[in-house]
Amino acid sequence: RASPGRVWDDMSEMQAREKTKKLLIEGGEEENEAFAVARELVTFARKQEGQVWGEVLEAAIDKRLRLRTPVQYIIGEWDFHNLEGVIIRPPCLCPRPETEEL
């Protein structure tokens, strides 16, 4: 029997984003937020070398839905203003796009 993460193997990135968005919405995420979070989580999971990206994605979706973990903590880094790849770990504040405007 294939591992659960293998169901993602034959999906394009766009298909994975759509499925992730659907799962997030079913889990209570608002549609606009689900779209953005799905994009970030799929991109993050597909970049993980040496791991089955579908398993990484499923774990990320689980953290987001079950624990309501901010996407910045799941990914572990975030671009903010002119800074790229700022390392983000709890309990630091997560950068948000609207704070770049302040």
Side-chain angles (χ1 to χ4, degrees):
R1 183 172 170 231
S3 71
R6 296 286 182 190
V7 300
W8 301 89
D9 283 352
D10 294 329
M11 288 187 194
S12 68
E13 186 163 341
M14 188 59 72
Q15 290 170 322
R17 285 182 185 184
E18 282 299 315
K19 179 173 175 141
T20 300
K21 180 178 121 178
K22 182 180 178 198
L23 292 171
L24 292 169
I25 291 169
E26 289 172 357
E29 195 86 55
E30 291 184 23
E31 187 169 351
N32 288 341
E33 186 75 5
F35 176 81
V37 170
R39 181 187 64 233
E40 296 294 341
L41 293 182
V42 170
T43 300
F44 164 72
R46 290 179 71 102
K47 287 181 179 178
Q48 304 310 301
E49 295 182 15
Q51 299 180 54
V52 176
W53 75 270
E55 291 176 1
V56 173
L57 181 58
E58 287 185 358
I61 293 168
D62 181 62
K63 283 183 185 178
R64 179 68 180 184
L65 293 178
R66 193 170 47 80
L67 304 174
R68 295 292 181 214
T69 304
V71 69
Q72 295 92 334
Y73 288 166
I74 295 169
I75 293 172
E77 65 178 38
W78 203 255
D79 296 344
F80 180 71
H81 197 52
N82 294 327
L83 304 171
E84 293 183 12
V86 176
I87 295 173
I88 306 295
R89 302 278 188 269
C92 74
L93 294 174
C94 295
R96 303 272 309 163
E98 56 271 17
T99 59
E100 290 186 35
E101 299 170 11
L102 298 177

